[in-house]
Amino acid sequence: MAKQPNKTAAGTNIQEVRQQNVQSAQAAQAGQFATEFAAETNVQHVKQQNAQAEARKAQNVNR
């Protein structure tokens, strides 16, 4: 994979994370707590990934 500027090896947008950190720090100083992480979580996708991981784990155990 070609290295992309402003991205980590995992593909994380560095500028976006820095901006979120600034916003989080400002909210913490103001005594507010945000729910961005929960709001952006796709529950069905997570459940599907967990099921696939369990299936792979079961395959590895049965070998």
Side-chain angles (χ1 to χ4, degrees), residues 30-57:
Q32 300 169 347
F33 296 95
T35 58
E36 292 92 358
F37 296 108
E40 293 175 2
T41 301
N42 181 333
V43 176
Q44 284 303 116
H45 183 68
V46 171
K47 286 182 178 181
Q48 180 183 8
Q49 286 180 321
N50 289 344
Q52 289 172 349
E54 288 296 323
R56 282 193 298 273
K57 192 167 31 171

